[in-house]
Amino acid sequence: MTIFDELRRYDGFDFPGFLAGVTDAHVARALQKERLTPQDYLALLSPAAARHLEPMAQKARDLTIRHFGRAMVLFTPLYLANHCTNQCVYCGFNTKNRIERRKLTLEEVEAEALAIAATGLKHILILTGEDRKQTPPAYMADCIRVLKRYFTSIAIEVYPLTQEEYALLIEAGADGMTMFQEVYDETVYAELHPKGPKRDYRFRLEAPDRAGRAGMRQLNIGALLGLNSWRTEAFFTGLHADWLQRAYPDAEVAVSPPRMRPHAGGFPPREIVSDAELVQYILAFRLFMPRGGVTLSTRERPGLRDNLLGLGVTRMSAGVCTQVGGRASGQHATGQFEISDPRSVDEMAQALYQRGYQPVYKDWQYL
Amino acid sequence: MADQLVIGGVALESRLFLGSGKYSSNAIIPAIVEASGAQVITVAVRRVDPGAGSENILSHIPRSCRLMPNTSGARNAQEAVRIARLARAAGCGDWIKIEVISDNRHLLPDNQETIEATRILAAEGFIVLPYMSPDLMAAKRMAEAGAAAVMPLGAPIGTNRGFRTRELVAIMIDELDVPVIVDAGIGKPSEACECMELGAAAVLANTAIATAADPVGMARAFAQAVAAGRAAWLAGPGAVSEQARASSPLTGFLHE
Ligand code: SF4
């Protein structure tokens, strides 16, 4: 059985009916519990639960501090390439967008690595678009081998790979993977991915599973909020995370709750997810999976990020640049999306200290 | 004679061990160490970055404190062994707290893999302190494999739920020749005191102190509680036997 079969069990489930039927009493019961069922989690994502944000926040903060401490792991993304063969309607790297396409040479990777290493960070996330010809797994492996000299943890956010390909990258030195399913609703997924290999819903959905089987240490997943009803997407993301944690108990499982940002494609979000709704999602997830990681990107603005950090977030990106080669070469190519929090690693660290949190630059040692 | 805990040939006056991973800033560690009087502090090797300047946790640990690097993040014996060797190479000394966790949902230790890592590292001359689920047979095997002490959990890590494993740890204390140090789950000074009254050799506290509103004050409270529990345990056996002698046995008539 895979997550695909697990999600099938909810085919035909009346989500609007369930969400509308949630009462204050159900929310209160879920808040009392130590272990939440999927139904409890869904109840906490309901409109009724929005009236209970404060008690949810108190409990979520308490759980997060007990399990993760007053500490925030920092990392930064490094875009290796922006070549892409897909036409995701919401993305700036969409193959039909006329932007300058680049891919870093190994020398450029090293130059970027030096610039990032100078900030003190030891965790890095490498990204590419989806183009197997331009950026094959072997190219990624080469990049990872260069980066290994500077970083103790290297995660990948690339197109879905086979189990053997994940094993190859682990062998090269990768220890984490991020895969955004974008949308769990299969019909909506088909509409938003009109052309290209990304149309294969199931191959993408099962990618974290293949990575887990290959021995990947960290599995990070997420839905892109704004593409569909956030409540059901958040529910499926949580179910997926829970499923992965059960299937791969020795992996660290985390979710990301990114909201859509402006980009070169200009596709407007179908649903605007408010700050309060984003908070509700993070809190509900924390109560559902007390030990699950929550990664927050610089898509969110500084003030909001600072306020969110006490509510369940365990990892944040900092010193972000979404342009290929943007750090070392000073290039101003179009990024994948616009970031909202341009703070440097130092500035982020100071903000964390001010709120009583310790910035953690290194939380894994490559073995 | 002073009441000392000897581990790996090192005599310790304080029976409170500290964790270091959950503070709001590494800079608070010296004050915690001072208030607690602790002489042993555990540090996750995964967090150690000697090149990190002021962000390097090691630079905040007072010299009076003995480092007990831990293998947090290890999923099996081999990884724990590699992390231990890295710690030694980085100048963290010979003590190593083995943590092998292959269950990220509850963070329960894997005793089987821990026994294996203990065997390998003790043979390499490490002073090995394994973190474990309280199980007498597993603890015996760890001791046979060369563990300098065993560290059963009081409750799952980070739960602050207190001394939930009391019955099992009591048996371990009775049966084992190596010191038994209660590690994880202790949420309040009174619970640390209870561990010590029962005869534990020491208590390790992390979350309870780090997440307190006043961590320095809580560190001091833990120190007092651990000392009180120890004093009670030392006083306990004498008081019990005295009482037994003073009362007339109920079955004494049988011997008349
Ligand atoms: S989201 Fe990814 S796959 Fe889709 S167009 Fe952008 S880079 Fe390509």
Side-chain angles (χ1 to χ4, degrees):
Chain A
M1 210 178 95
T2 78
I3 183 63
F4 185 76
D5 308 303
E6 173 78 16
L7 296 186
R8 279 278 92 91
R9 294 172 44 193
Y10 290 87
D11 281 355
F13 183 84
D14 176 16
F15 281 101
F18 180 94
L19 287 165
V22 174
T23 61
D24 288 332
H26 189 174
V27 175
R29 251 194 336 272
L31 267 167
Q32 295 294 321
K33 284 190 173 181
E34 210 169 302
R35 287 190 194 85
L36 269 55
T37 62
Q39 282 70 27
D40 293 328
Y41 175 47
L42 188 55
L44 293 183
L45 292 168
S46 71
R51 295 193 291 269
H52 302 261
L53 280 194
E54 186 53 30
M56 283 171 70
Q58 298 283 349
K59 191 168 176 192
R61 190 195 62 152
D62 195 46
L63 282 171
T64 310
I65 292 179
R66 275 195 286 161
H67 289 298
F68 297 90
R70 292 185 200 275
M72 187 64 54
V73 176
L74 297 181
F75 71 97
T76 208
L78 168 58
Y79 283 77
L80 297 178
N82 59 6
H83 294 279
C84 192
T85 56
N86 284 308
Q87 296 184 15
C88 312
V89 300
Y90 48 83
C91 175
F93 287 174
N94 179 331
T95 187
K96 293 212 307 207
N97 285 339
R98 290 235 197 91
I99 57 167
E100 192 199 331
R101 302 282 170 173
R102 295 196 63 210
K103 122 177 171 188
L104 298 183
T105 64
L106 293 184
E107 290 69 38
E108 288 172 319
V109 169
E110 179 134 29
E112 293 282 311
L114 274 164
I116 296 168
T119 66
L121 292 182
K122 292 286 181 183
H123 287 219
I124 195 167
L125 172 69
I126 54 174
L127 297 93
T128 64
E130 177 155 0
D131 189 331
R132 278 189 167 267
K133 277 214 198 76
Q134 291 287 344
T135 51
Y139 163 77
M140 299 174 199
D142 287 341
C143 293
I144 290 168
R145 280 187 279 267
V146 170
L147 294 166
K148 238 169 82 175
R149 300 204 283 270
Y150 302 92
F151 304 100
T152 61
S153 172
I154 302 166
I156 53 169
E157 185 180 332
V158 303
Y159 53 87
L161 303 175
T162 63
Q163 187 179 330
E164 293 68 33
E165 288 165 341
Y166 283 121
L168 173 84
L169 298 191
I170 291 170
E171 178 69 30
D175 55 39
M177 70 92 75
T178 291
M179 177 60 63
F180 287 104
Q181 183 60 27
E182 322 285 18
V183 200
Y184 281 89
D185 183 306
E186 217 175 331
T187 317
V188 178
Y189 186 93
E191 288 164 20
L192 298 176
H193 302 95
K195 272 216 171 73
K198 197 167 168 178
R199 277 188 68 75
D200 191 340
Y201 173 88
R202 184 163 182 173
F203 189 66
R204 190 171 188 87
L205 185 70
E206 292 172 352
D209 204 4
R210 294 191 295 275
R213 248 180 280 136
M216 197 65 90
R217 183 173 289 277
Q218 275 183 50
L219 306 173
N220 191 26
I221 59 169
L224 183 51
L225 303 178
L227 296 180
N228 191 27
S229 155
W230 74 270
R231 297 180 201 278
T232 49
E233 291 295 324
F235 175 69
F236 286 128
T237 308
L239 273 192
H240 192 179
D242 185 57
W243 188 89
L244 286 170
Q245 189 69 87
R246 255 183 290 136
Y248 307 99
D250 61 0
E252 288 178 11
V253 176
V255 303
S256 298
R259 292 192 289 186
M260 279 194 70
R261 294 287 310 151
H263 63 91
F267 173 82
R270 294 191 164 185
E271 180 186 83
I272 303 288
V273 178
S274 71
D275 289 357
E277 289 169 332
L278 178 67
V279 166
Q280 187 180 352
Y281 173 17
I282 295 174
L283 299 177
F285 176 75
R286 168 59 62 237
L287 302 187
F288 180 54
M289 274 186 76
R291 284 217 30 85
V294 175
T295 309
L296 193 64
S297 79
T298 53
R299 285 168 183 261
E300 304 300 343
R301 57 183 198 279
L304 181 64
R305 293 223 306 165
D306 291 352
N307 283 307
L308 288 176
L309 69 87
L311 299 177
V313 178
T314 57
R315 275 172 179 267
M316 282 188 175
S317 48
V320 171
C321 167
T322 68
Q323 300 158 13
V324 179
R327 288 185 184 85
S329 69
Q331 293 238 350
H332 294 289
T334 317
Q336 191 182 20
F337 59 87
E338 287 171 26
I339 62 174
S340 300
D341 185 348
R343 286 179 290 185
S344 69
V345 175
D346 274 348
E347 287 166 337
M348 205 52 233
Q350 288 320 313
L352 286 168
Y353 279 130
Q354 260 166 32
R355 297 216 157 223
Y357 278 75
Q358 175 188 172
V360 172
Y361 294 2
K362 173 176 182 287
D363 192 44
W364 182 241
Q365 172 66 54
Y366 176 75
L367 286 176
Chain B
M1 211 185 77
D3 172 43
Q4 291 178 325
L5 169 61
V6 179
I7 292 180
V10 175
L12 303 164
E13 311 286 338
S14 164
R15 290 170 181 272
L16 174 59
F17 291 13
L18 292 179
S20 63
K22 293 184 173 173
Y23 291 104
S24 56
S25 156
N26 289 332
I28 198 179
I29 290 176
I32 299 288
V33 169
E34 194 186 335
S36 66
Q39 292 168 292
V40 177
I41 186 165
T42 183
V43 175
V45 176
R46 65 194 283 177
R47 289 266 173 99
V48 172
D49 183 6
S54 65
E55 300 291 347
N56 176 15
I57 186 165
L58 296 183
S59 65
H60 295 275
I61 293 177
R63 287 182 183 279
S64 62
C65 238
R66 178 158 290 268
L67 266 189
M68 178 168 64
N70 69 55
T71 65
S72 145
R75 300 181 294 185
N76 53 46
Q78 284 310 323
E79 290 184 354
V81 166
R82 272 143 82 187
I83 294 172
R85 289 176 186 153
L86 273 169
R88 183 141 82 176
C92 293
D94 284 343
W95 284 37
I96 189 81
K97 173 181 161 186
I98 301 183
E99 265 185 67
V100 178
I101 289 171
S102 51
D103 152 48
N104 261 312
R105 194 183 290 275
H106 309 286
L107 292 187
L108 292 174
D110 183 331
N111 283 349
Q112 198 60 42
E113 293 288 314
T114 303
I115 294 167
E116 177 63 11
T118 301
R119 197 181 55 70
I120 297 169
L121 292 170
E124 291 181 12
F126 281 93
I127 307 299
V128 182
L129 296 99
Y131 170 59
M132 65 178 303
S133 277
D135 175 274
L136 179 63
M137 292 310 146
K140 280 193 171 173
R141 293 199 177 104
M142 288 174 201
E144 279 161 20
V150 291
M151 308 184 77
L153 54 91
I157 296 186
T159 57
N160 276 355
R161 288 164 68 84
F163 195 16
R164 295 297 179 106
T165 55
R166 184 192 162 99
E167 297 298 325
L168 297 170
V169 172
I171 293 169
M172 291 171 64
I173 291 171
D174 279 351
E175 299 291 329
L176 295 170
D177 296 327
V178 293
V180 175
I181 299 167
V182 179
D183 181 357
I186 299 303
K188 294 198 285 283
S190 56
E191 294 154 3
C193 185
E194 186 185 353
C195 297
M196 298 306 295
E197 281 176 335
L198 199 68
V203 169
L204 188 146
N206 185 16
T207 313
I209 296 177
T211 64
D214 170 13
V216 174
M218 190 57 86
R220 196 173 296 117
F222 261 89
Q224 291 165 351
V226 166
R230 179 66 186 174
W233 187 79
L234 290 172
V240 170
S241 70
E242 213 174 318
Q243 220 177 22
R245 254 181 280 132
S247 65
S248 38
L250 293 175
T251 56
F253 69 93
L254 293 174
H255 307 294
E256 279 166 7

